[in-house]
Amino acid sequence: MAGLVPPGTAIPADASKTAHTKADEKIDYMNLPCPIPYEEIHREALMSLKPETFEGLRFDFTKGLNQKFSLSHSVLMGPTELPSQSGETIKIPTAHYEFGANFIDPNLMLIGRMLTDGRLNARVKWDLTDNLTVKANAQLTNEPHMSHCMVNFDYKGKDYRSQFQMGNAALFGASYIQSVTPHLSLGGEVFWAGQHRKSGVGYAGRYETDKMVATGQVASTGMVALSYVQKVSEKVSLATDFMYNYMSRDVTASVGYDYILRQSRLRGKIDSNGCTAAYLEERLNMGLNFILSAEIDHKKNDYKFGFGLTVG
Amino acid sequence: MAAQPRRGGISLPERRSASKPDSSIIARITSSPIVSRGKQAACDAAFVSKKLLRSTGKAAWIAGTTFLILVVPLIIEMDREQQFTELELQQASLLGAPPTAPAHP
């Protein structure tokens, strides 16, 4: 969250009250805080409104071998949806086991996940210096032409952030975000997709105070996304989101809540597509979490319920 | 009567044309315009009320399941949180009392 406005210039000791408050309100434009990275601009709204709902059983076990190194085992059993042309969703029960290894250092973070259906996920985050960070994300599969990889170079300045990214299908992108006042930050991005010969430009703005965060994003692909998150108390926050695609005339609005209690965390949302979802994480014991997830789509009459356990 | 264009799926069925009246009294009464209109009105009322019941049922189902998913876990969790807070308060008051008891001999 952005800090409060810092007092600007030095004031003499015998200054009157009005001069003191005026100096408090004077914003020091040379000392603005560093903004949120461009891809995380909708972070609070996404956390509340898009919980990771799943269907079936999920079991995660993370074991730390060292201070920096840990292994994780994960079992997921449940139906997965196959995209079908007829419009009817086809669900096929699948089960897989995922093995993962994490190495976490202050400067270097390596995460790898291997699934039983032959997919490999790898993520690397390397802080070269205080300001320059390299991130890489790769997903390799058995099927040909389905693997992809993306590399990001982030530079963090005093009150701005810039990022350059390259993907494997000749995908290039760059983004820049700057703090304009202590509460407002504005940014823009460009991307170019070589395979489809498409390019686009987008702009985003974010206004945050201690109690609320409002963001807006426009892109030349036709997407307009606005979101507003209000922190009603330290345990409760409400979020709402509006997404409009002016090319395909698609509108979606959703409202949700996020309750962070001591023993549990409950997120719920309802959509204008007739879709309502809830996600509950309950702490049964130290390091033992019980997860329940529910998603009901009234228009398509599609119901997804999942439960799981996370250890460690 | 010409069929009128329908809107949506909820509309009254077309009206039958009145048939020729017979000679006997009962037949004449039952085929008089008042009785036939009354019968038609009763049919329409039954049709409309069935549709209304079905749409109310559907709305109640949607409202009920949405309430179950969104609100019931919230009530349960808030109740647990309140219980937990009460327990902590109780424990704090239990543990807090002995140290403050003066130990002057």
Side-chain angles (χ1 to χ4, degrees), chain A residues 51-72:
Chain A
E52 296 168 346
T53 54
F54 56 94
E55 187 170 14
L57 165 74
R58 187 174 115 177
F59 179 74
D60 285 333
F61 176 61
T62 308
K63 169 117 180 133
L65 298 180
N66 210 349
Q67 230 179 8
K68 302 184 178 180
F69 190 68
S70 62
L71 294 176
S72 85

Side-chain angles (χ1 to χ4, degrees), chain A residues 4 15 48 52 60 77 102 104 110 117 125 136 162 176 179 181 183 194 225 234 266 269-270 272 277 312:
Chain A
L4 294 173
S48 296
E52 296 168 346
D60 285 333
M77 293 195 257
N102 313 328
I104 298 184
L110 303 168
D117 51 4
K125 177 169 171 282
S162 61
Y176 177 77
S179 264
T181 75
H183 298 292
E234 61 184 32
L266 178 59
K269 84 149 207 281
I270 181 159
S272 71

Side-chain angles (χ1 to χ4, degrees), chain A residues 235 257 259 261-262 264 266 276-278 282 294 296 298, chain B residues 62 65-66 69-70 73-74 77-78 80-81 84-85 88:
Chain A
K235 291 187 182 169
Y257 64 82
Y259 265 72
L261 305 170
R262 261 175 306 187
S264 55
L266 178 59
T276 141
E282 172 117 17
I296 294 184
H298 289 292
Chain B
I62 291 180
T65 51
T66 305
I69 293 291
L70 289 182
L74 189 63
E77 284 306 317
M78 293 206 326
R80 279 179 64 125
E81 174 79 9
F84 189 64
T85 314
E88 265 196 0

